[in-house]
Amino acid sequence: MKPLRVAVGLSLAVLATLALGALNMPAPPDFFLLVVADMARGGAAVPAMLAGLPAGLLQDGLFAPGRLLGLHAFSKILIGYLLATVGARTVVEKPVAVGGLLMGAVLVEAATLTFLIWVLTGDFLPPAPWLLAARAATTGLLGGLLYAASRVPWKQRREARRRVRLN
Amino acid sequence: MAAPTLAERRPEIFLAVLLSLCLVTLSLQVRRPGGRTVGEGWLLTAVSPFVDLVTSVRSGIHEVGTWAMSRRALRVENRALTAEVAALHGELLRLRDAEEDKRRLLELFGAQPSPPPGTIPARLIAVESSGPFHTALLDRGASDGLHLDGVVLARGGLLGRVIALGPRTARVQLLSDSTAAVGVLLTHGTRGGRMAVAKGDGKGSVSVEYVPAIEPVEPNDTLVSSGTDGVYPGGLPVGRVASVRRNKTLFWEIQVSAAADPHGESLVFVLPPVRKSDVTSGSSVAERH
């Protein structure tokens, strides 16, 4: 089930990124990071890294400037490992904590990308702070909301409503 | 606390492998200003110590081989060069000697850079002037082209004539010999020369006789050969008047300082004998040639 979940998640991430790009949103959330974070839940490092690889490659292929295939793959694999490690050693239950964790992941990924570009090309290109902050905020907010939504017992509520209607 | 096993390290190993693959992929795409990809640069940097090692070993072996081979060749070349240097040194000495001879020759003939045809250079190897007969010995003889009555010149002027010939040597009668005589022109100032005869006194000098006392003669007047004696060509420097004294007769007693000193010369030149046709005209060396 997990590969299918990853494939669906990545497809949605592509669609959402394209849609927000069409809307000229200055700092859209990192939807690919959300897919990786989803796979890292419960401390599963290898599935998280395996999800990070195609997510990063897709991001590179579709959106990365300079067409450096593997740049986001590197960072996404690293982020997947870190999120899984944190998830395995700590109990993150509240959506706010998840949102904060995702914000931190965005910052770490930006630092990783900046470092990689500097090592590979010799150019030190840090992102604009306010853009980075906005991207981290939107990603954390969306991640927290999605996490909160995923914790709602939708089936039980639907069953309860159906039983009320029948009675 | 037990160390984690390999299975427990699986996520880290997986992470390292995936990140390495990404890095390799990235490094193969990024091109540096030199045209190389980053991966190629890293690869070259990584293997450069081995390349340097192999190159050093190879060049070392090559140098040792070259040194061993060239050492022998250098020895042979050194021997050849030593012999060549010795030969060149000898050649240099010979050329220096020839240059000195040339310089003397030019001094002897003045503005005439080349000697008259038939002129033979010779070395004056001995001078005999202890008795009344003053002679000198040359290292050239009949086999070298010398003839009897050949005129012998030194750097300063006339020295004498060949009176005896051997195959390799020749004897020269010097002007200072008591039996030697040469017809001269005695020149006083700008006046034309007066004919006279210079004779050896057998004591190492030359005197002029039979110059009337009415003729103006002073020290430093010059004497050149007149070319009328049938032995010496005209125009050759004989000497200068050293002293003039009037004796009881009607003639001057003139002592001459010879132009050529046989004791100070080592190189002389022997001119061909005077031809009879040249005697009547009294032609000079320059005119003859």
Side-chain angles (χ1 to χ4, degrees), chain B:
Chain B
M1 186 176 172
T5 61
L6 198 63
E8 289 169 342
R9 285 288 183 197
R10 187 166 160 250
E12 284 77 18
I13 296 170
F14 210 74
L15 174 73
V17 170
L18 286 177
L19 293 185
S20 302
L21 283 175
C22 287
L23 271 181
V24 169
T25 308
L26 285 169
S27 64
L28 291 177
Q29 299 171 67
V30 178
R31 287 199 175 273
R32 283 287 169 84
R36 285 195 311 237
T37 63
V38 174
E40 289 169 347
W42 289 350
L43 193 65
L44 288 175
T45 307
V47 300
S48 62
F50 300 101
V51 174
D52 289 345
L53 180 67
V54 171
T55 306
S56 301
V57 170
R58 187 183 166 197
S59 65
I61 292 172
H62 179 70
E63 282 179 7
V64 168
T66 306
W67 175 78
M69 288 179 69
S70 64
R71 193 165 178 267
R72 190 174 173 184
L74 284 173
R75 274 188 183 170
V76 174
E77 189 179 357
N78 189 32
R79 269 191 229 112
L81 286 174
T82 305
E84 190 178 349
V85 165
L88 287 174
H89 191 64
E91 181 73 9
L92 177 66
L93 292 176
R94 194 185 68 75
L95 287 174
R96 278 184 184 164
D97 202 26
E99 181 67 23
E100 180 65 17
D101 291 350
K102 179 187 168 190
R103 186 184 63 78
R104 287 179 179 173
L105 187 69
L106 287 175
E107 280 185 18
L108 184 67
F109 287 96
Q112 190 172 354
S114 57
T119 301
I120 297 169
R123 293 201 177 276
L124 208 155
I125 55 177
V127 175
E128 173 57 45
S129 58
S130 57
F133 303 108
H134 289 192
T135 58
L137 196 64
L138 301 182
D139 66 344
R140 297 290 174 96
S143 61
D144 299 307
L146 262 60
H147 300 280
L148 280 175
D149 287 332
V151 179
V152 181
L153 292 171
R155 182 173 50 181
L158 188 62
L159 199 66
R161 65 186 178 107
V162 177
I163 56 170
L165 273 176
R168 297 283 179 191
T169 56
R171 186 164 293 280
V172 177
Q173 180 192 45
L174 301 176
L175 287 184
S176 58
D177 185 83
S178 61
T179 62
V182 55
V184 294
L185 280 173
L186 180 60
T187 307
H188 175 73
T190 57
R191 287 182 60 184
R194 189 201 186 282
M195 301 287 281
V197 176
K199 293 179 63 178
D201 60 1
K203 298 173 185 174
S205 55
V206 177
S207 61
V208 178
E209 296 177 346
Y210 311 118
V211 176
I214 56 172
E215 292 288 335
V217 179
E218 290 180 1
N220 282 328
D221 286 354
T222 57
L223 288 91
V224 296
S225 59
S226 62
T228 56
D229 51 25
V231 177
Y232 299 103
L236 297 175
V238 175
R240 288 179 177 273
V241 174
S243 63
V244 182
R245 191 160 59 93
R246 186 173 180 179
N247 58 15
K248 296 175 183 175
T249 65
L250 297 175
F251 303 101
W252 291 114
E253 191 178 314
I254 302 171
Q255 290 295 316
V256 175
S257 170
D261 178 15
H263 298 283
E265 303 290 344
S266 61
L267 180 71
V268 297
F269 297 90
V270 183
L271 274 61
V274 174
R275 292 173 299 193
K276 296 299 177 189
S277 57
D278 296 329
V279 176
T280 52
S281 62
S283 61
S284 67
V285 175
E287 290 165 342
R288 285 167 59 198
H289 301 288

Side-chain angles (χ1 to χ4, degrees), chain A residues 11-77:
Chain A
S11 302
L12 291 175
V14 170
L15 285 174
T17 306
L18 289 174
L20 291 184
L23 292 174
N24 283 331
M25 187 175 174
D30 190 346
F31 295 102
F32 298 94
L33 182 63
L34 297 179
V35 178
V36 176
D38 179 51
M39 296 306 293
R41 285 167 64 179
V46 174
M49 288 187 283
L50 283 177
L53 179 63
L57 289 176
L58 261 179
Q59 204 171 359
D60 286 328
L62 292 175
F63 309 111
R67 299 293 182 194
L68 280 177
L69 203 65
L71 197 67
H72 282 91
F74 185 97
S75 61
K76 286 289 187 295
I77 291 168

